[in-house]
Amino acid sequence: GIQVEQSPPDLILQEGANSTLRCNFSDSVNNLQWFHQNPWGQLINLFYIPSGTKQNGRLSATTVATERYSLLYISSSQTTDSGVYFCAVVGGADGLTFGKGTHLIIQP
Amino acid sequence: DTAVSQTPKYLVTQMGNDKSIKCEQNLGHDTMYWYKQDSKKFLKIMFSYNNKELIINETVPNRFSPKSPDKAHLNLHINSLELGDSAVYFCASSQGPPTGPWGYTFGSGTRLTVV
């Protein structure tokens, strides 16, 4: 099945910093989503972005499908941004396949 | 009005018991899923139903049995619970089949603890 690799696995930043999270995938995809799992365990859909660029407030995402990667940008980080960020793709018959996530901690 | 709702949110039970988790979606989607998140936070698909038909059935113990009475509901029944079944179970739905170009919407999860 398709492989999804996220980097970095862990990231600790001060409030106000910017960050870039990366997702590499091993095959062509027709669905790519970024999720934020908050400290209470809820999975929040951030972006549906199989290609192109989208922005939502302080967050933006870019997927370059031909080069098989996606980037999630977080600007002016806040403590509420803490949690685990997952990239997930659909590239075969297995449905949405998740990466192992990036654990982000924003310190005040 | 919650799009994908799961009950219960928390479930603590003893080994050997049988339990069910219920899921309902009000998005009018055709496809529903069960995912398992283990202690290392890894999310893996277990089952998928499209219009009440089982279409994805990953390698899980046959103690796990999904049931879809209609396309808005997907329940998960677990027999003879074991310690290793402790995890967070997420329900999700999508507009069409799993491989299509549409997003998945997830419920808030059910934390199952087997003691």
Side-chain angles (χ1 to χ4, degrees), chain B residues 70-91:
Chain B
D70 56 61
K71 73 174 192 176
H73 296 84
L74 179 62
N75 304 322
L76 183 65
H77 189 74
I78 316 170
N79 290 327
S80 304
L81 277 154
E82 300 177 357
L83 292 177
D85 298 331
S86 296
V88 181
Y89 293 85
F90 284 94
C91 178

Side-chain angles (χ1 to χ4, degrees), chain B residues 2-3 14 22 25 27-28 36 38 55 57 64 69 79 81 91 96 100 103-104 111:
Chain B
T2 306
Q14 290 187 325
K22 295 179 184 284
Q25 55 95 3
L27 297 166
K36 179 180 180 180
D38 62 22
I55 53 173
N57 186 1
F64 289 77
N79 290 327
L81 277 154
C91 178
Y104 288 34
R111 182 175 295 276

Side-chain angles (χ1 to χ4, degrees), chain A residues 30-31 33 37 48 86 92 96, chain B residues 35 37 41 99 101-102 104:
Chain A
N30 57 11
N31 175 0
Q33 290 181 257
Q37 187 165 37
Y48 168 77
F86 290 102
L96 196 65
Chain B
Y35 278 78
Q37 185 173 43
K41 301 277 195 187
T99 57
W102 29 66
Y104 288 34

